[in-house]
């Protein structure tokens, strides 16, 4: 199959492969570490889990950064693709604190809205005081 015939799902999968998850740092980043999406985990009540089962946390996506020299290459969207896919695989909700995610990424990718933490869901508390 030619590259231009690849499905959107395959393209997203390829994009996610080039993003590194650094759990200890609370980041998804490019292999060189220059572009990143920073998150923090927050305690989430079981009742608001995406799949209805137990979920340890929600991901508060707090900051997305791409250096000027790498802008315009779709890196911020690729970082978000990887982070949202990770949250979905782990049954977590997403809190889109970062303005890029809430104002640009989610309107362009409405399928991910099902993961977004809703204001009427039970309150959550931070599991990490730093970041």
């Amino acid at each position: 199959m030619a590259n231009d015939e690849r499905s959107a799902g395959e393209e997203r999968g390829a994009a996610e492969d080039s993003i590194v998850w650094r759990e200890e740092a609370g980041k998804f980043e490019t292999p060189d570490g220059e572009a990143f999406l920073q998150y923090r985990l927050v305690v989430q009540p079981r009742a608001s889990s995406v799949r209805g089962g137990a979920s340890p946390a929600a991901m508060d996506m707090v900051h997305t950064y791409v250096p000027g020299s790498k802008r315009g290459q779709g890196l911020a969207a690729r970082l978000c693709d990887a982070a949202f896919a990770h949250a979905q695989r782990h049954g977590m909700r997403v809190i889109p604190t970062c303005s890029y995610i809430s104002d640009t990424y989610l309107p362009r990718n409405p399928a991910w809205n099902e993961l977004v933490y809703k204001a009427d869901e039970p309150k959550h508390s931070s599991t990490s005081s730093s970041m």
Side-chain angles (χ1 to χ4, degrees):
M1 178 183 310
N3 281 346
D4 57 343
E5 295 175 8
R6 288 174 29 181
S7 72
E10 289 172 339
E11 288 175 13
R12 283 186 190 263
E16 289 173 30
D17 290 343
S18 64
I19 301 300
V20 178
W21 174 41
R22 291 194 46 227
E23 182 177 16
E24 73 287 351
K27 290 182 178 181
F28 288 86
E29 61 186 21
T30 52
D32 62 12
E34 291 185 16
F36 61 87
L37 182 151
Q38 186 173 14
Y39 69 90
R40 66 186 178 98
L41 296 179
V42 293
V43 174
Q44 176 181 309
R46 288 178 180 228
S48 62
S49 169
V50 173
R51 295 188 185 114
S55 180
M59 288 181 72
D60 184 0
M61 297 182 186
V62 296
H63 185 61
T64 305
Y65 175 75
V66 176
S69 63
K70 294 189 176 201
R71 291 189 183 154
Q73 300 175 28
L75 289 178
R78 288 171 46 203
L79 290 162
C80 291
D81 289 345
F84 272 83
H86 178 87
Q88 184 178 50
R89 281 191 304 273
H90 291 88
M92 291 187 277
R93 290 282 194 199
V94 170
I95 302 167
T97 300
C98 170
S99 62
Y100 167 78
I101 295 171
S102 61
D103 299 346
T104 303
Y105 181 78
L106 283 170
R108 292 178 182 170
N109 298 275
W112 289 123
N113 284 325
E114 71 182 37
L115 295 184
V116 175
Y117 183 86
K118 307 292 187 272
D120 60 347
E121 291 183 48
K123 298 290 182 193
H124 57 276
S125 59
S126 177
T127 59
S128 169
S129 59
S130 61
M131 278 201 209

